[in-house]
């Protein structure tokens, strides 16, 4: 849901701000990139220290697509646990609203939601199964008055009419509607299709294995380039250790 909502909203020129952490944060950034929009990562480290390390590629993609890495901490600041709750007020402060997709009872996301209220920002939440621990946060926020979100339209309709017109001019609406969802298939180059056909959702493959299987058909540079494009399009995900899986779509 984080990836899909971020994709749909970014496709309509909203900038997605998150924290580059594992899980929902990373999904939000990837969704924004898949929607061909901009996304900003607020770090709990110096901007030269990417944490977690496996998100270095994602950070590079954010910059390559016109986004930004932002931190109030000096260069070379390491990933101290206390830094991350501190930076959450910047995430909420930069935004029109905060959308909570998943949060446990003691999650740092509660801090972000509280900061949003203190800063007079909107608070949105995606409801979840009440037996799921991760649904405690959004469900509680909805009970307390947060706007329930099931689709991008639930966020979009909270924007002023003038702002919506600025973000998506009428002449661009039909054009953008065709690329506003993660579940719309984009045309792929033949070598990208070949690589995608080798990957699975439930089983990771190491890049060396892909190179070995495709060495008779593609050069290493073509494989690396295709993997980059597929990841940027949200078709695949890179896991730690240069392992790849097909994204669920």
């Amino acid at each position: 849901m984080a990836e899909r909502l971020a994709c749909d909203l970014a496709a309509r020129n909203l900038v997605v701000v998150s924290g580059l952490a594992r899980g929902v944060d990373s999904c939000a950034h990837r969704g924004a990139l898949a929607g061909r929009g901009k996304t900003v990562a607020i770090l709990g480290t110096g901007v030269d220290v990417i944490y977690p390390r496996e998100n270095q590629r994602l950070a590079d993609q954010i910059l390559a697509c016109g986004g930004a890495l932002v931190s109030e901490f000096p260069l070379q600041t390491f990933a101290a646990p206390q830094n991350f709750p501190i930076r959450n007020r910047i995430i909420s402060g930069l935004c029109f609203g905060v959308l909570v997709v998943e949060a446990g009872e003691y999650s740092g996301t509660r801090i972000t939601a509280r900061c949003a209220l203190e800063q007079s920002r909107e608070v949105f939440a995606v409801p979840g199964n009440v037996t799921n621990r991760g649904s405690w946060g959004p469900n509680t926020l909805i009970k307390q008055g947060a706007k329930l979100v099931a689709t991008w339209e639930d966020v979009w309709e909270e924007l002023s009419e003038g702002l919506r017109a600025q973000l998506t001019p009428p002449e661009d609406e039909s054009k953008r509607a065709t690329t506003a969802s993660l579940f719309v298939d984009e045309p792929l180059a033949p070598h990208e299709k070949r690589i995608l056909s080798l990957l699975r959702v439930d089983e990771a493959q190491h890049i060396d294995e892909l190179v070995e299987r495709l060495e008779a058909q593609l050069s290493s540079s073509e494989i690396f380039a295709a993997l980059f494009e597929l990841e940027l399009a949200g078709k695949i995900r890179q896991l730690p250790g240069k392992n790849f899986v097909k994204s669920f779509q």
Side-chain angles (χ1 to χ4, degrees):
M1 280 302 295
E3 194 166 347
R4 182 175 184 177
L5 289 168
C7 175
D8 289 341
L9 292 169
R12 289 164 176 82
N13 289 327
L14 272 78
V15 177
V16 175
V17 180
S18 199
L20 201 67
R22 292 187 183 96
V24 168
D25 283 13
S26 297
C27 288
H29 292 305
R30 290 193 185 99
L33 295 173
R36 300 178 183 176
K38 291 182 173 60
T39 180
V40 175
I42 312 300
L43 308 183
T45 60
V47 291
D48 58 336
V49 179
I50 301 302
Y51 180 85
R53 292 181 62 183
E54 66 259 26
N55 275 352
Q56 179 66 61
R57 178 90 173 239
L58 180 58
D60 293 340
Q61 292 174 348
I62 289 172
L63 295 176
C65 293
L69 306 180
V70 177
S71 176
E72 64 178 328
F73 299 106
L75 295 175
Q76 299 183 358
T77 299
F78 68 95
Q82 66 270 18
N83 291 353
F84 295 92
I86 293 173
R87 63 88 194 267
N88 287 359
R89 78 192 193 287
I90 301 177
I91 296 176
S92 57
L94 285 175
C95 297
F96 159 78
V98 170
L99 173 58
V100 179
V101 176
E102 186 178 75
E105 186 172 359
Y106 302 106
S107 168
T109 305
R110 293 178 60 194
I111 299 174
T112 312
R114 187 180 71 245
C115 290
L117 293 173
E118 292 172 351
Q119 296 163 338
S120 299
R121 302 301 193 260
E122 299 290 336
V123 177
F124 305 90
V126 176
N129 189 321
V130 295
T131 63
N132 187 331
R133 292 182 180 180
S135 299
W136 186 93
N139 288 348
T140 299
L141 288 170
I142 291 170
K143 287 197 296 182
Q144 294 173 346
K147 174 72 182 287
L148 187 151
V149 172
T151 67
W152 65 270
E153 289 98 333
D154 296 320
V155 176
W156 187 255
E157 66 186 15
E158 294 300 312
L159 304 176
S160 68
E161 186 176 346
L163 183 55
R164 290 200 299 267
Q166 284 183 327
L167 290 170
T168 310
E171 62 270 20
D172 290 345
E173 183 68 40
S174 60
K175 180 176 68 175
R176 284 193 166 271
T178 61
T179 59
S181 172
L182 285 173
F183 303 103
V184 175
D185 289 329
E186 297 290 336
L188 298 176
H191 55 285
E192 292 173 357
K193 290 181 180 179
R194 191 173 295 117
I195 291 174
L196 193 61
S197 68
L198 297 178
L199 295 174
R200 298 177 55 183
V201 173
D202 56 351
E203 182 179 340
Q205 290 195 55
H206 192 268
I207 191 169
D208 290 344
E209 182 181 351
L210 289 172
V211 170
E212 184 177 349
R213 295 178 67 178
L214 294 166
E215 62 181 352
Q217 306 166 51
L218 300 171
S219 66
S220 297
S221 60
E222 288 176 322
I223 295 172
F224 297 151
L227 288 170
F228 178 81
E229 292 297 331
L230 288 169
E231 188 175 1
L232 199 61
K235 301 291 185 182
I236 65 173
R237 292 175 54 204
Q238 182 176 178
L239 304 179
K242 297 190 181 300
N243 291 291
F244 293 86
V245 293
K246 184 184 294 186
S247 295
F248 174 78
Q249 297 188 37

